[in-house]
């Protein structure tokens, strides 16, 4: 059986919104047409994907499984279209994703020396999409900070670097040459605690159940604004903290927090010479001082 990707895309919109009206607005189609397409998909598969009643719309077990499988399939389809379109251009295009604070210029120059005809593009990523840019085809390679989901990827270590606690300038620890993670136990972390397990293990707000949910922060600038306002602290890699300097926050070394591990990642199934060559030059030019 061949599944229609358009119907699959419509189903995913409804499954994510759990509301046909909102999904229809998101897809720019009429709600009755959307309902017909989802019903047709259910008939083709021979299963019920969504349950609708007065309380709203909910996924059935079959629907939950389809959503899990559909997301990477649709991403792979989008990636295929991007790569095929790029291959049709006269000048090859190679796109590199990179996290804030990481300098890619030396590796880009080295790649251009080997492949003068290649047009290199850069995509700035965040914690939320540093792998997603690979799965949906926006980037050929991505310079990532671990941890990431490595399923389906080749991940090549590049270097490690210390992580620093970024505090408001008037914080009691701001003038210290270094601190321990226990010194930060009473502070509010503006990140997912899983990203800093050392802090998670000693944090008072986790022990007492007083921690408020932290909304997703999509940029370093957002984190620094909140730190400067006194809303909490964050932990950043050395290169990122050094790049985003400002007078109202202070970065302090933390003796017992693990380093940030920087790697190069790409889709394991790809067999591109450009990827192979970039991986080679990126490894050779990785910062030796913090490797």
């Amino acid at each position: 059986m061949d599944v229609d990707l358009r119907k699959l895309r419509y189903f995913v919109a409804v499954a994510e919104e759990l509301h046909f009206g909102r999904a229809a607005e998101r897809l720019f189609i009429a709600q009755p047409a959307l309902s017909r397409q989802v019903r047709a998909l259910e008939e083709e598969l021979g299963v019920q994907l969504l349950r609708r009643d007065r309380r709203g719309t909910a996924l059935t077990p079959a629907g939950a499984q389809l959503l899990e499988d559909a997301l990477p399939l649709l991403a792979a389809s989008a990636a295929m279209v991007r790569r095929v379109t790029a291959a049709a251009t006269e000048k090859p295009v190679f796109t590199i994703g990179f996290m804030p604070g990481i300098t890619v210029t030396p590796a880009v120059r080295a790649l251009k020396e080997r492949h003068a005809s290649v047009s290199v593009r850069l995509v700035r990523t965040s914690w939320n999409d540093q792998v997603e840019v690979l799965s949906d085809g926006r980037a050929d390679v991505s310079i990532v900070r671990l941890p990431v989901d490595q399923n389906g990827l080749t991940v090549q270590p590049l270097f490690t670097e210390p992580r620093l606690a970024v505090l408001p300038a008037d914080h009691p620890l701001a003038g210290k040459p270094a601190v321990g993670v226990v010194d930060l136990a009473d502070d509010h972390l503006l990140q997912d605690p899983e990203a800093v397990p050392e802090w998670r293990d000693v944090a008072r707000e986790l022990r007492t159940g007083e921690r408020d949910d932290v909304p997703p922060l999509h940029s370093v600038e957002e984190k620094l604004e909140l730190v400067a306002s006194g809303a909490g602290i964050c932990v950043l890699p050395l290169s990122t903290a050094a790049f985003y300097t400002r007078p109202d926050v202070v970065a302090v070394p933390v003796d017992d927090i693990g380093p940030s591990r920087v790697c190069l990642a790409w889709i394991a199934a790809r067999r591109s010479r450009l990827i192979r060559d970039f991986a080679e030059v990126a490894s050779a030019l990785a910062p030796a001082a913090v490797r």
Side-chain angles (χ1 to χ4, degrees):
M1 175 191 297
D2 294 326
V3 177
D4 185 334
L5 290 182
R6 182 183 62 173
K7 291 191 184 93
L8 203 56
R9 196 171 292 110
Y10 288 174
F11 162 75
V12 166
V14 177
E16 291 181 337
E17 298 289 346
L18 290 178
H19 191 283
F20 275 81
R22 289 195 298 269
E25 290 178 5
R26 169 173 152 184
L27 294 165
F28 301 104
I29 64 172
Q31 184 174 333
L34 175 59
S35 297
R36 285 194 298 272
Q37 293 294 323
V38 172
R39 194 158 50 245
L41 179 61
E42 289 179 319
E43 290 172 358
E44 290 172 11
L45 295 174
V47 297
Q48 184 180 4
L49 300 171
L50 296 155
R51 219 176 261 115
R52 283 197 278 182
D53 56 31
R54 280 184 245 174
R55 290 174 295 179
T57 301
L59 288 168
T60 65
Q65 184 62 57
L66 181 59
L67 177 61
E68 181 181 334
D69 292 337
L71 292 173
L73 180 61
L74 291 174
S77 173
M80 177 192 68
V81 171
R82 285 191 174 102
R83 288 197 289 265
V84 169
T85 303
T89 60
E90 292 184 7
K91 192 171 185 179
V93 177
F94 187 74
T95 305
I96 303 163
F98 69 100
M99 286 285 282
I102 296 175
T103 301
V104 297
T105 308
V108 169
R109 286 178 173 169
L111 182 68
K112 291 285 289 180
E113 288 176 2
R114 295 190 183 193
H115 302 276
S117 64
V118 172
S119 175
V120 177
R121 297 177 184 170
L122 300 176
V123 175
R124 183 182 182 275
T125 62
S126 69
W127 279 108
N128 302 315
D129 67 355
Q130 56 178 339
V131 168
E132 184 180 304
V133 296
L134 298 172
S135 60
D136 66 15
R138 280 179 286 161
D140 295 289
V141 297
S142 184
I143 301 177
V144 302
R145 294 190 186 276
L146 300 186
V148 298
D149 182 356
Q150 299 186 26
N151 287 328
L153 300 179
T154 297
V155 178
Q156 173 180 292
L158 293 178
F159 62 91
T160 64
E161 60 177 331
R163 292 193 292 170
L164 312 180
V166 182
L167 317 172
D170 59 355
H171 192 284
L173 300 175
K176 300 284 187 179
V179 297
V181 70
V182 174
D183 299 324
L184 306 172
D186 290 334
D187 285 287
H188 176 59
L189 186 71
L190 297 166
Q191 288 161 271
D192 182 345
E194 296 302 318
V196 192
E198 300 91 344
W199 177 89
R200 177 200 62 201
D201 294 340
V202 301
R204 183 186 64 82
E205 64 181 22
L206 291 180
R207 294 197 309 270
T208 60
E210 297 173 0
R211 180 175 172 83
D212 295 327
D213 288 339
V214 177
L217 301 175
H218 300 294
S219 69
V220 177
E221 292 88 348
E222 288 178 275
K223 291 177 184 176
L224 295 182
E225 283 294 331
L226 289 172
V227 171
S229 71
I233 68 169
C234 68
V235 174
L236 295 179
L238 173 62
S239 59
T240 307
F243 186 82
Y244 290 92
T245 57
R246 47 188 290 174
D248 49 4
V249 301
V250 176
V252 180
V254 186
D255 291 332
D256 45 1
I257 282 183
S260 173
R261 293 178 290 159
V262 178
C263 299
L264 182 68
W266 64 91
I267 299 296
R270 297 199 60 192
R271 297 290 182 268
S272 163
R273 182 181 172 187
L274 285 172
I275 291 177
R276 196 165 58 246
D277 285 356
F278 185 78
E280 185 177 316
V281 297
S283 180
L285 295 170
V290 290
R291 187 178 296 177

